[in-house]
Amino acid sequence: MKDQEQEEKTLPSHLETIDIEAFSTITSKDNHDLHTKAREAAAAEHTLTLKEAFKTHKLAIFWSVLVSTSIIMEGYDIVLVNSLYAQEAFAKRYGTYTESGGWQLSGAWQSALGAAPTIGAVFGAFINGYLTHKWGYRRVLLVSMVMITAFIFFLFFATSTTLLLVGLILCGLPWGVFATMAPAYASEVCPMVLRGYLTVYVNLCWAFGQLMAAGVMEGLVNRKDQWAYRIPFAVQWCFPLPLLCLFWFAPESPWWLVRTNQLEAAERSLRRLSSSLSALDAKHTVAMMVHTNSIELETETGTSYLDCFKGTDLRRTEIACLTFAAQVWCGSSLGGTPVYFFEQAGLSDSNAFKFNLGGLGLASIGTIISWFFLNRIGRRTIYVWGLAILFFCMLIVGCVSAGAGNGTTSSYCQAGFVLLWLLVYYLTVGPVCYAIISEVSATRLRNKSVCLSRISYYICQITGNVIEPYMVNPTEANWHGKTGFFWAGTCLVFLAWAFWRLPETKDRTFEELDLLFARRVPARKFRSCVVDAYAEGEGRVVKEE
């Protein structure tokens, strides 16, 4: 005990004065000391069990879960906007009457309103890459909560589709911030053994938001007045104020503090995130973060958006962006928000909303079940097999529609396979994506890499939201379930990409992943390579097991 106290007294001089940008130029003695402490922290990361992590990192779990909860608002809105198209009161207020389809919002306005929050989120995500790099997670999150509280007024009091459009674009700005901040923050405040669970929780928040929206819409399905669509908009005010009060006390990411050379603050943040972390353990962990940063400096990893497309970081950006884009191209424009599709497939308004509610309930269950597979099977295996099953679900929907028409049996059969698609998606591609994008990027570029990946998703989502209404709408292409053929084709393309290009990131520290990418290890060999991040030169990536 006395030796440990003595060591705590002698360590600060190494960590409080070191400039992380000059890590490679410090004295040999200090360099050896830092490597020793960093190695000990890395070894502790690998030996920490899930049970121990839940016991010692309760506060890290709490703050990560709380920040991710902000995603519920975006998930809520995505289902809400698309579900409103099928609501009679909303269609009468903002749409037009047609002989073939009754009251309908035109395909053009459906596409515009569906794309509006995504357009705002693209700008919000892009700006967040700069803001978080400059000001940190906490301050940007607080300002974003104030913004969303104000912007909801546009939706609630909208008297025209134009005002709805403006309100949705404005709300998209903070939603873009929440969507990119949550997985990055989760990956930086928790130990490796919890990283997958807490980043995947982001997707569960999406599912909760969607389930909440479906429940609200189901509860108001028989209302015919303006409150049928104004109440769902007002429900969004339930989130910002309580979250704003709690976020005021949130700790800053220790990785961001290390990147900005605030090492003492990083130690304090680490001790706030773990109830059992001693001052000495905090210094060891900060030493590991400094060592990881030095590895990335060796590979000339910068901190700008342009650096995401240079050297080995180009490959990491490709993986992050296409992993997220696959969420759209595997069929989520049809399967993810299926109320309107169910109606056009022949189900009644009431049954369409009930099927949607049941499907989103399956989505929440699927995400929870995915936690049990995440650290047993691995990210890559779950993701690739998920895309394969989603491909067959969409293919069957198309075949049933083409072969059996739009009768009652066909309608329920198509709805059944769309529900199966939802369950499989939230078991595999949906949640695992968040773990992959949070782990695959360099720590110095994490926020910007996550922002770029989310922007790629938003761009694809805009495209999907424009295409899907035109394919399904009875006044446009009128394909009904045959749109499944289109989404099956795009899903197959991403399945081929994932098989050849998606690496396994399970059980790897950030410095180990840095070295695997720096040595250009093929994606399918990531799992089998042995990595010693503290060896010299080429010996760091040793061999295949």
Side-chain angles (χ1 to χ4, degrees):
M1 186 70 180
K2 186 175 181 180
D3 292 339
Q4 181 172 337
E5 291 176 358
Q6 181 64 30
E7 190 171 4
E8 288 186 22
K9 292 177 182 178
T10 59
L11 270 172
S13 62
H14 297 303
L15 289 178
E16 292 173 8
T17 62
I18 181 174
D19 182 350
I20 58 175
E21 298 290 337
F23 181 83
S24 60
T25 64
I26 61 178
T27 68
S28 176
K29 181 179 181 301
D30 285 346
N31 196 350
H32 175 74
D33 187 54
L34 280 169
H35 273 244
T36 301
K37 305 310 173 188
R39 183 191 289 272
E40 291 175 6
E45 280 269 292
H46 279 291
T47 58
L48 185 67
T49 65
L50 184 62
K51 183 178 180 180
E52 291 170 344
F54 273 109
K55 183 179 179 181
T56 59
H57 289 76
K58 293 186 182 72
L59 291 174
I61 295 170
F62 171 77
W63 289 115
S64 174
V65 165
L66 196 67
V67 171
S68 298
T69 300
S70 61
I71 295 290
I72 290 178
M73 288 185 283
E74 187 180 14
Y76 178 92
D77 182 79
I78 294 299
V79 168
L80 176 63
V81 172
N82 286 279
S83 297
L84 285 172
Y85 303 155
Q87 189 188 73
E88 183 180 350
F90 183 84
K92 283 184 176 180
R93 179 64 183 83
Y94 298 105
T96 56
Y97 185 81
T98 62
E99 291 294 332
S100 58
W103 287 100
Q104 293 277 342
L105 197 65
S106 69
W109 271 112
Q110 284 187 29
S111 298
L113 294 179
T118 309
I119 292 171
V122 167
F123 288 100
F126 185 80
I127 295 169
N128 184 43
Y130 288 106
L131 296 179
T132 302
H133 176 74
K134 175 70 174 176
W135 301 107
Y137 291 87
R138 178 178 168 275
R139 281 179 282 189
V140 175
L141 195 57
L142 289 171
V143 173
S144 299
M145 280 294 166
V146 174
M147 291 173 61
I148 190 63
T149 304
F151 294 155
I152 292 172
F153 281 94
F154 282 86
L155 302 180
F156 184 77
F157 291 105
T159 57
S160 66
T161 47
T162 303
L163 282 176
L164 274 178
L165 185 69
V166 172
L168 288 169
I169 291 174
L170 290 175
C171 286
L173 293 171
W175 285 334
V177 173
F178 302 146
T180 52
M181 185 174 289
Y185 185 83
S187 70
E188 293 193 356
V189 300
C190 61
M192 181 179 66
V193 70
L194 292 175
R195 202 168 60 203
Y197 294 100
L198 292 179
T199 51
V200 164
Y201 175 75
V202 173
N203 192 74
L204 183 60
C205 290
W206 261 80
F208 281 158
Q210 293 175 330
L211 182 62
M212 179 182 287
V216 170
M217 294 302 295
E218 166 64 17
L220 297 170
V221 69
N222 294 320
R223 289 196 73 118
K224 305 300 180 183
D225 58 5
Q226 63 173 328
W227 297 106
Y229 52 87
R230 296 203 190 280
I231 289 175
F233 286 135
V235 169
Q236 295 176 94
W237 275 313
C238 295
F239 296 100
L241 189 56
L243 288 177
L244 180 65
C245 296
L246 290 169
F247 288 157
W248 183 265
F249 302 99
E252 186 53 80
S253 161
W255 283 93
W256 180 81
L257 292 168
V258 167
R259 289 193 292 270
T260 54
N261 209 28
Q262 301 178 60
L263 303 186
E264 291 183 57
E267 291 179 26
R268 290 194 297 270
S269 179
L270 283 167
R271 297 191 71 179
R272 285 190 63 191
L273 292 166
S274 175
S275 58
S276 65
L277 200 67
S278 67
L280 179 60
D281 292 334
K283 292 180 188 301
H284 289 187
T285 303
V286 169
M288 181 184 67
M289 293 177 178
V290 171
H291 183 261
T292 302
N293 192 76
S294 72
I295 291 175
E296 295 180 3
L297 287 172
E298 287 176 13
T299 58
E300 300 181 351
T301 298
T303 57
S304 70
Y305 273 117
L306 187 60
D307 289 314
C308 291
F309 300 95
K310 292 180 179 178
T312 57
D313 290 304
L314 174 61
R315 179 187 177 192
R316 302 173 86 156
T317 303
E318 172 213 328
I319 294 167
C321 290
L322 293 188
T323 298
F324 232 143
Q327 285 196 331
V328 175
W329 297 113
C330 68
S332 64
S333 294
L334 186 158
T337 51
V339 173
Y340 188 71
F341 171 78
F342 286 156
E343 286 198 337
Q344 301 311 314
L347 297 181
S348 66
D349 287 1
S350 178
N351 283 339
F353 280 107
K354 287 176 181 176
F355 264 84
N356 185 52
L357 184 59
L360 292 173
L362 288 175
S364 300
I365 294 170
T367 301
I368 294 170
I369 295 173
S370 73
W371 283 340
F372 294 95
F373 298 116
L374 194 63
N375 280 350
R376 291 173 174 82
I377 300 176
R379 283 71 156 143
R380 171 187 161 85
T381 304
I382 295 174
Y383 196 88
V384 171
W385 276 101
L387 285 176
I389 299 172
L390 295 177
F391 161 74
F392 283 109
C393 286
M394 283 295 160
L395 185 64
I396 292 171
V397 169
C399 289
V400 170
S401 178
N406 295 317
T408 302
T409 302
S410 172
S411 298
Y412 279 98
C413 184
Q414 292 175 59
F417 276 100
V418 169
L419 292 181
L420 177 61
W421 183 99
L422 265 172
L423 177 61
V424 173
Y425 176 87
Y426 279 96
L427 270 169
T428 59
V429 174
V432 175
C433 168
Y434 288 94
I436 295 171
I437 64 154
S438 301
E439 295 172 337
V440 79
S441 60
T443 61
R444 290 171 61 81
L445 287 171
R446 176 166 299 116
N447 187 257
K448 288 185 172 63
S449 179
V450 171
C451 288
L452 285 173
S453 68
R454 191 65 183 177
I455 288 170
S456 72
Y457 168 82
Y458 285 138
I459 292 172
C460 294
Q461 187 182 54
I462 291 172
T463 307
N465 286 345
V466 169
I467 293 172
E468 176 66 16
Y470 279 98
M471 290 193 292
V472 177
N473 197 301
T475 64
E476 307 293 346
N478 198 27
W479 285 4
H480 298 290
K482 290 186 283 293
T483 56
F485 289 129
F486 176 84
W487 297 117
T490 55
C491 184
L492 183 61
V493 172
F494 278 86
L495 172 60
W497 170 83
F499 181 80
W500 293 105
R501 298 288 290 171
L502 184 65
E504 180 57 73
T505 58
K506 173 180 172 287
D507 294 334
R508 296 292 190 187
T509 63
F510 292 132
E511 56 192 351
E512 289 172 352
L513 290 170
D514 287 339
L515 292 170
L516 288 168
F517 280 108
R519 298 294 185 271
R520 303 183 187 278
V521 175
R524 289 181 293 165
K525 294 184 178 180
F526 262 55
R527 182 192 289 268
S528 61
C529 275
V530 179
V531 181
D532 181 358
Y534 299 91
E536 296 297 328
E538 295 297 323
R540 286 171 167 174
V541 178
V542 183
K543 61 182 178 180
E544 292 185 44
E545 288 181 327

